[in-house]
Amino acid sequence: MIDLSAGSVRVVVDENGGGRILKLAVGDLDLLVTPEIDDHNHGLFPMAPWAGRIRYGKFSFAGDDYQLPCNKAPHAIHGTVRDQPWKIDSSSLTHLELSTDLVEPWPFGGKVMQRFELEPNSLSLTMEVHASDRPMPVSCGWHPWWHRTPQSDDSVELELHAERMYHRDGEGIPSGELVPIAPPPWDDCFTKLGEPAAVLRWPELGSLTIESDCECMVVYTEPDLALCVEPQSDPPDSFNLNARVVNPGSPLVINAKFHWAINTAI
Protein backbone atom coordinates (compact mmCIF):
# COMPACT_ATOMS: atom_id res chain seq x y z
CA MET A 1 0.00 0.00 0.00
CA ILE A 2 1.20 3.51 -0.80
CA ASP A 3 0.03 6.51 1.23
CA LEU A 4 -0.12 9.97 -0.32
CA SER A 5 -1.05 13.04 1.69
CA ALA A 6 -1.44 16.79 1.20
CA GLY A 7 -2.92 18.96 3.92
CA SER A 8 -5.94 17.14 5.34
CA VAL A 9 -6.20 14.80 2.34
CA ARG A 10 -5.09 11.16 2.33
CA VAL A 11 -4.98 8.83 -0.67
CA VAL A 12 -4.18 5.12 -0.36
CA VAL A 13 -3.20 3.17 -3.49
CA ASP A 14 -2.94 -0.62 -3.60
CA GLU A 15 -0.17 -1.38 -6.08
CA ASN A 16 -0.60 -5.13 -5.60
CA GLY A 17 -4.38 -4.99 -5.93
CA GLY A 18 -4.73 -3.69 -9.48
CA GLY A 19 -3.32 -0.17 -9.00
CA ARG A 20 -6.61 0.76 -7.34
CA ILE A 21 -7.19 3.81 -5.13
CA LEU A 22 -8.61 2.31 -1.93
CA LYS A 23 -9.19 5.59 -0.11
CA LEU A 24 -9.62 9.25 -0.93
CA ALA A 25 -10.36 11.00 2.34
CA VAL A 26 -10.66 14.71 3.09
CA GLY A 27 -10.24 14.86 6.83
CA ASP A 28 -12.50 12.10 8.16
CA LEU A 29 -14.72 12.16 5.08
CA ASP A 30 -14.33 9.26 2.62
CA LEU A 31 -15.30 10.45 -0.86
CA LEU A 32 -15.04 6.91 -2.27
CA VAL A 33 -16.79 3.77 -1.03
CA THR A 34 -14.24 1.89 1.10
CA PRO A 35 -13.52 -1.87 1.15
CA GLU A 36 -15.08 -2.07 4.63
CA ILE A 37 -18.42 -1.00 3.13
CA ASP A 38 -18.25 -3.14 -0.03
CA ASP A 39 -15.34 -5.51 -0.58
CA HIS A 40 -15.93 -5.65 -4.36
CA ASN A 41 -17.40 -2.32 -5.52
CA HIS A 42 -15.11 0.23 -3.90
CA GLY A 43 -12.40 2.79 -4.52
CA LEU A 44 -11.27 3.81 -7.99
CA PHE A 45 -9.65 1.35 -10.38
CA PRO A 46 -7.96 1.67 -13.80
CA MET A 47 -9.55 0.11 -16.88
CA ALA A 48 -7.16 -1.00 -19.65
CA PRO A 49 -6.49 -2.12 -22.32
CA TRP A 50 -10.24 -1.71 -22.74
CA ALA A 51 -12.90 0.10 -20.73
CA GLY A 52 -16.45 -1.13 -20.25
CA ARG A 53 -17.83 -4.18 -22.04
CA ILE A 54 -16.65 -6.00 -25.13
CA ARG A 55 -19.67 -7.85 -26.54
CA TYR A 56 -19.24 -11.58 -25.90
CA GLY A 57 -15.52 -10.87 -25.48
CA LYS A 58 -15.15 -11.04 -29.27
CA PHE A 59 -13.57 -8.64 -31.74
CA SER A 60 -11.63 -8.65 -35.01
CA PHE A 61 -8.47 -6.66 -35.69
CA ALA A 62 -6.15 -6.56 -38.71
CA GLY A 63 -7.86 -9.57 -40.26
CA ASP A 64 -7.73 -11.82 -37.18
CA ASP A 65 -10.48 -12.80 -34.73
CA TYR A 66 -9.93 -12.65 -30.96
CA GLN A 67 -11.74 -14.04 -27.92
CA LEU A 68 -11.28 -12.48 -24.47
CA PRO A 69 -12.40 -14.19 -21.25
CA CYS A 70 -16.01 -13.26 -20.43
CA ASN A 71 -15.45 -12.16 -16.83
CA LYS A 72 -18.97 -10.70 -16.60
CA ALA A 73 -20.90 -13.25 -18.64
CA PRO A 74 -21.76 -13.07 -21.42
CA HIS A 75 -19.31 -10.19 -21.97
CA ALA A 76 -15.73 -9.18 -21.19
CA ILE A 77 -15.55 -6.10 -18.97
CA HIS A 78 -13.13 -3.43 -17.72
CA GLY A 79 -9.84 -4.80 -19.08
CA THR A 80 -7.17 -6.83 -17.30
CA VAL A 81 -4.95 -4.47 -15.31
CA ARG A 82 -7.30 -4.16 -12.32
CA ASP A 83 -6.61 -7.87 -11.68
CA GLN A 84 -2.81 -7.79 -11.61
CA PRO A 85 0.00 -6.22 -9.55
CA TRP A 86 1.66 -2.96 -10.55
CA LYS A 87 5.29 -1.88 -10.11
CA ILE A 88 6.20 1.31 -8.25
CA ASP A 89 8.35 3.42 -10.57
CA SER A 90 8.60 6.51 -8.38
CA SER A 91 6.87 7.90 -5.30
CA SER A 92 6.87 10.77 -2.83
CA LEU A 93 4.38 12.17 -0.36
CA THR A 94 2.27 13.71 -3.14
CA HIS A 95 3.40 11.87 -6.31
CA LEU A 96 3.21 8.28 -7.50
CA GLU A 97 4.02 6.50 -10.76
CA LEU A 98 3.02 2.87 -11.38
CA SER A 99 3.35 0.55 -14.36
CA THR A 100 2.29 -2.95 -15.37
CA ASP A 101 2.87 -5.10 -18.44
CA LEU A 102 -0.06 -6.27 -20.53
CA VAL A 103 0.06 -10.06 -20.42
CA GLU A 104 -2.27 -12.98 -21.14
CA PRO A 105 -5.18 -13.03 -21.76
CA TRP A 106 -4.43 -9.83 -23.68
CA PRO A 107 -2.96 -11.07 -26.98
CA PHE A 108 -0.94 -8.02 -28.08
CA GLY A 109 1.45 -7.30 -25.21
CA GLY A 110 2.17 -3.71 -24.25
CA LYS A 111 2.37 -1.70 -21.05
CA VAL A 112 0.18 0.61 -18.95
CA MET A 113 1.40 3.47 -16.76
CA GLN A 114 -0.43 5.54 -14.15
CA ARG A 115 0.56 8.84 -12.52
CA PHE A 116 -1.03 10.35 -9.42
CA GLU A 117 -0.48 13.98 -8.33
CA LEU A 118 -2.10 15.04 -5.06
CA GLU A 119 -2.70 18.60 -3.85
CA PRO A 120 -4.73 19.76 -0.84
CA ASN A 121 -7.79 20.39 -3.04
CA SER A 122 -7.31 18.08 -6.02
CA LEU A 123 -6.09 14.76 -7.38
CA SER A 124 -4.75 14.54 -10.94
CA LEU A 125 -4.53 11.21 -12.77
CA THR A 126 -2.78 10.27 -16.00
CA MET A 127 -2.88 6.93 -17.78
CA GLU A 128 -0.77 5.81 -20.74
CA VAL A 129 -1.31 2.63 -22.77
CA HIS A 130 1.74 1.62 -24.84
CA ALA A 131 1.95 -0.91 -27.66
CA SER A 132 4.95 -3.21 -27.75
CA ASP A 133 6.05 -4.32 -31.22
CA ARG A 134 2.83 -4.04 -33.27
CA PRO A 135 -0.32 -1.94 -33.50
CA MET A 136 -3.22 -2.85 -31.23
CA PRO A 137 -6.75 -1.67 -30.45
CA VAL A 138 -7.12 0.11 -27.12
CA SER A 139 -9.41 2.05 -24.83
CA CYS A 140 -8.94 2.96 -21.18
CA GLY A 141 -10.37 4.91 -18.29
CA TRP A 142 -11.06 5.06 -14.55
CA HIS A 143 -13.94 3.55 -12.59
CA PRO A 144 -14.63 5.43 -9.32
CA TRP A 145 -17.28 4.42 -6.78
CA TRP A 146 -18.18 7.82 -5.31
CA HIS A 147 -19.81 7.49 -1.90
CA ARG A 148 -23.45 8.58 -2.09
CA THR A 149 -23.97 9.50 1.56
CA PRO A 150 -20.70 10.09 3.41
CA GLN A 151 -21.62 11.24 6.95
CA SER A 152 -24.93 12.55 5.69
CA ASP A 153 -28.53 11.49 5.13
CA ASP A 154 -28.62 13.46 1.87
CA SER A 155 -27.51 11.55 -1.23
CA VAL A 156 -25.08 12.98 -3.76
CA GLU A 157 -26.50 15.09 -6.59
CA LEU A 158 -25.00 14.87 -10.10
CA GLU A 159 -24.67 17.74 -12.55
CA LEU A 160 -23.60 16.21 -15.87
CA HIS A 161 -22.32 18.37 -18.71
CA ALA A 162 -22.79 16.40 -21.94
CA GLU A 163 -24.65 16.94 -25.21
CA ARG A 164 -25.31 13.35 -26.31
CA MET A 165 -25.47 9.79 -25.04
CA TYR A 166 -24.97 6.49 -26.83
CA HIS A 167 -28.08 4.45 -27.53
CA ARG A 168 -27.99 1.24 -25.49
CA ASP A 169 -29.32 -1.92 -27.09
CA GLY A 170 -31.14 -4.81 -25.41
CA GLU A 171 -27.87 -6.17 -24.02
CA GLY A 172 -27.01 -2.85 -22.37
CA ILE A 173 -24.19 -2.07 -24.80
CA PRO A 174 -23.84 1.02 -27.01
CA SER A 175 -25.03 0.47 -30.57
CA GLY A 176 -22.89 3.33 -31.88
CA GLU A 177 -25.83 5.69 -32.42
CA LEU A 178 -25.78 9.03 -30.59
CA VAL A 179 -29.14 10.16 -29.21
CA PRO A 180 -30.51 12.99 -27.02
CA ILE A 181 -29.94 12.51 -23.29
CA ALA A 182 -32.72 10.58 -21.59
CA PRO A 183 -33.54 11.02 -17.88
CA PRO A 184 -31.95 8.69 -15.28
CA PRO A 185 -31.57 6.00 -14.03
CA TRP A 186 -28.44 5.56 -16.10
CA ASP A 187 -25.93 2.89 -16.93
CA ASP A 188 -24.95 4.82 -20.03
CA CYS A 189 -22.11 6.39 -21.96
CA PHE A 190 -22.18 10.14 -22.62
CA THR A 191 -20.08 12.19 -25.02
CA LYS A 192 -19.55 15.72 -26.33
CA LEU A 193 -18.60 16.65 -22.79
CA GLY A 194 -18.45 20.13 -21.35
CA GLU A 195 -15.90 21.81 -19.11
CA PRO A 196 -16.09 20.58 -16.45
CA ALA A 197 -17.54 17.21 -17.45
CA ALA A 198 -19.47 16.73 -14.19
CA VAL A 199 -20.00 18.09 -10.69
CA LEU A 200 -21.04 15.98 -7.68
CA ARG A 201 -22.69 17.78 -4.76
CA TRP A 202 -23.32 16.46 -1.28
CA PRO A 203 -25.83 18.84 0.41
CA GLU A 204 -24.25 20.47 3.46
CA LEU A 205 -20.90 18.70 2.84
CA GLY A 206 -19.53 20.19 -0.37
CA SER A 207 -18.78 19.34 -3.99
CA LEU A 208 -16.41 17.53 -6.33
CA THR A 209 -15.69 18.65 -9.89
CA ILE A 210 -14.52 16.21 -12.57
CA GLU A 211 -12.39 17.48 -15.46
CA SER A 212 -11.01 15.19 -18.17
CA ASP A 213 -9.70 15.17 -21.72
CA CYS A 214 -11.49 11.86 -22.28
CA GLU A 215 -14.12 11.81 -25.03
CA CYS A 216 -16.62 9.79 -22.98
CA MET A 217 -18.11 9.56 -19.52
CA VAL A 218 -19.97 6.47 -18.33
CA VAL A 219 -22.48 7.17 -15.55
CA TYR A 220 -23.97 4.40 -13.41
CA THR A 221 -26.66 5.66 -11.03
CA GLU A 222 -28.30 2.43 -9.92
CA PRO A 223 -26.27 1.34 -6.82
CA ASP A 224 -27.64 2.41 -3.45
CA LEU A 225 -24.26 3.18 -1.89
CA ALA A 226 -22.36 4.65 -4.82
CA LEU A 227 -22.49 6.83 -7.90
CA CYS A 228 -20.08 5.89 -10.69
CA VAL A 229 -18.91 8.69 -13.00
CA GLU A 230 -16.20 7.16 -15.18
CA PRO A 231 -13.90 9.08 -17.57
CA GLN A 232 -13.19 6.83 -20.58
CA SER A 233 -11.26 7.39 -23.79
CA ASP A 234 -13.93 5.58 -25.83
CA PRO A 235 -17.39 4.05 -25.41
CA PRO A 236 -17.90 0.44 -24.28
CA ASP A 237 -17.46 -2.11 -27.07
CA SER A 238 -15.34 0.36 -29.01
CA PHE A 239 -13.30 -2.50 -30.51
CA ASN A 240 -16.45 -3.47 -32.43
CA LEU A 241 -17.63 0.08 -33.15
CA ASN A 242 -14.64 2.16 -34.20
CA ALA A 243 -11.48 0.85 -32.60
CA ARG A 244 -8.82 3.32 -31.53
CA VAL A 245 -5.40 2.01 -32.58
CA VAL A 246 -2.05 2.69 -30.93
CA ASN A 247 1.30 2.02 -32.55
CA PRO A 248 4.69 1.37 -30.98
CA GLY A 249 6.08 4.65 -29.68
CA SER A 250 2.71 6.48 -29.84
CA PRO A 251 0.72 5.63 -26.69
CA LEU A 252 -2.83 6.56 -25.81
CA VAL A 253 -2.64 9.15 -23.01
CA ILE A 254 -5.64 10.32 -20.97
CA ASN A 255 -5.98 12.70 -18.02
CA ALA A 256 -8.55 13.38 -15.33
CA LYS A 257 -8.61 15.81 -12.42
CA PHE A 258 -10.87 15.78 -9.37
CA HIS A 259 -11.28 19.08 -7.48
CA TRP A 260 -13.14 19.19 -4.17
CA ALA A 261 -14.51 21.83 -1.83
CA ILE A 262 -15.52 19.91 1.29
CA ASN A 263 -16.82 21.21 4.61
CA THR A 264 -14.89 19.03 7.04
CA ALA A 265 -16.33 20.84 10.06
CA ILE A 266 -19.60 18.85 9.86
Side-chain angles (χ1 to χ4, degrees):
M1 304 287 184
I2 306 117
D3 278 82
L4 306 178
S5 64
S8 65
V9 181
R10 182 188 179 210
V11 172
V12 179
V13 180
D14 185 359
E15 77 279 17
N16 292 314
R20 180 190 298 250
I21 297 176
L22 294 180
K23 177 183 281 288
L24 170 53
V26 181
D28 295 328
L29 187 66
D30 284 308
L31 300 187
L32 295 167
V33 174
T34 62
E36 294 78 16
I37 295 174
D38 189 318
D39 62 3
H40 180 69
N41 299 324
H42 63 266
L44 181 156
F45 63 83
M47 299 180 287
W50 74 90
R53 292 169 174 82
I54 301 296
R55 193 186 303 271
Y56 308 133
K58 296 179 179 181
F59 67 97
S60 298
F61 181 73
D64 293 318
D65 297 329
Y66 295 92
Q67 175 69 64
L68 299 168
C70 294
N71 55 340
K72 191 175 179 62
H75 309 297
I77 193 170
H78 295 340
T80 61
V81 297
R82 62 171 179 160
D83 299 317
Q84 61 190 60
W86 292 62
K87 179 170 67 78
I88 301 171
D89 294 321
S90 67
S91 66
S92 69
L93 198 60
T94 59
H95 169 85
L96 175 64
E97 294 188 13
L98 302 177
S99 63
T100 191
D101 292 330
L102 291 170
V103 296
E104 292 293 339
W106 181 245
F108 297 93
K111 182 177 183 178
V112 184
M113 302 173 65
Q114 285 194 91
R115 285 192 296 274
F116 307 76
E117 298 285 351
L118 181 64
E119 299 182 16
N121 295 307
S122 67
L123 175 64
S124 297
L125 305 178
T126 298
M127 192 185 308
E128 300 181 6
V129 185
H130 294 254
S132 54
D133 58 354
R134 56 175 170 155
M136 67 180 188
V138 68
S139 68
C140 62
W142 294 278
H143 194 305
W145 294 88
W146 299 110
H147 199 173
R148 278 191 178 273
T149 57
Q151 298 181 4
S152 170
D153 293 331
D154 295 319
S155 183
V156 65
E157 300 169 354
L158 171 63
E159 179 183 307
L160 179 64
H161 301 156
E163 294 182 12
R164 288 290 187 271
M165 65 191 298
Y166 280 87
H167 170 261
R168 234 184 338 134
D169 64 20
E171 293 185 297
I173 296 178
S175 66
E177 179 188 4
L178 293 180
V179 297
I181 294 176
W186 290 322
D187 185 6
D188 292 283
C189 181
F190 299 84
T191 191
K192 300 186 181 297
L193 305 177
E195 297 182 7
V199 180
L200 281 63
R201 291 189 175 87
W202 294 273
E204 306 298 328
L205 290 179
S207 64
L208 180 138
T209 300
I210 300 174
E211 298 177 353
S212 179
D213 58 7
C214 288
E215 294 182 10
C216 296
M217 191 78 70
V218 169
V219 180
Y220 182 34
T221 64
E222 296 175 16
D224 292 333
L225 290 174
L227 176 64
C228 302
V229 185
E230 311 161 31
Q232 295 186 186
S233 64
D234 302 89
D237 203 33
S238 63
F239 292 179
N240 292 308
L241 295 176
N242 185 19
R244 182 189 299 267
V245 178
V246 295
N247 294 290
S250 299
L252 169 61
V253 182
I254 62 170
N255 298 276
K257 189 170 187 177
F258 308 114
H259 303 263
W260 50 81
I262 301 297
N263 181 5
T264 57
I266 293 178

